[in-house]
Amino acid sequence: ESYLRFTAFSKKGLLEQLKFEGFSTSESTYAANNVEVDWMEQAALKAESYLKFTSFSKKGLLDQLKFEGFTTAQAEYGVEKAY
């Protein structure tokens, strides 16, 4: 939860961050599966944060969000909310 207060993550991105910090795969998976978070909203927040610092076409932003680990539906939602 503390990571999500700092910046937006996809579920996959959160898992990778937790593993990078030294948590095991099972600990990271447990945490990501049990945190109360709206992954669609996380995609929108991440999209908005990208647009604050650089320019993206809608397709480019969609591709970036998918690269970050958001599902297609989450990425599409994020792009629409950001534009």
Side-chain angles (χ1 to χ4, degrees):
E1 291 175 345
S2 67
Y3 282 114
L4 295 171
R5 283 192 290 270
F6 174 71
T7 190
F9 280 97
S10 65
K11 187 174 185 179
K12 179 182 174 189
L14 181 60
L15 283 165
E16 290 173 1
Q17 181 64 38
L18 292 169
K19 287 193 275 186
F20 175 80
E21 292 292 332
F23 293 98
S24 69
T25 299
S26 63
E27 290 168 331
S28 300
T29 301
Y30 179 84
N33 286 339
N34 289 285
V35 67
E36 288 187 39
V37 62
D38 180 341
W39 297 112
M40 298 290 246
E41 185 61 23
Q42 288 295 301
L45 292 170
K46 185 59 107 175
E48 290 169 5
S49 114
Y50 275 121
L51 291 176
K52 285 181 185 175
F53 297 105
T54 191
S55 298
F56 276 96
S57 65
K58 283 188 173 185
K59 178 170 181 355
L61 185 56
L62 179 71
D63 290 344
Q64 181 62 37
L65 291 174
K66 288 166 53 175
F67 176 80
E68 292 282 336
F70 290 100
T71 66
T72 299
Q74 292 164 348
E76 288 172 348
Y77 178 84
V79 168
E80 290 308 312
K81 289 297 250 184
Y83 274 94

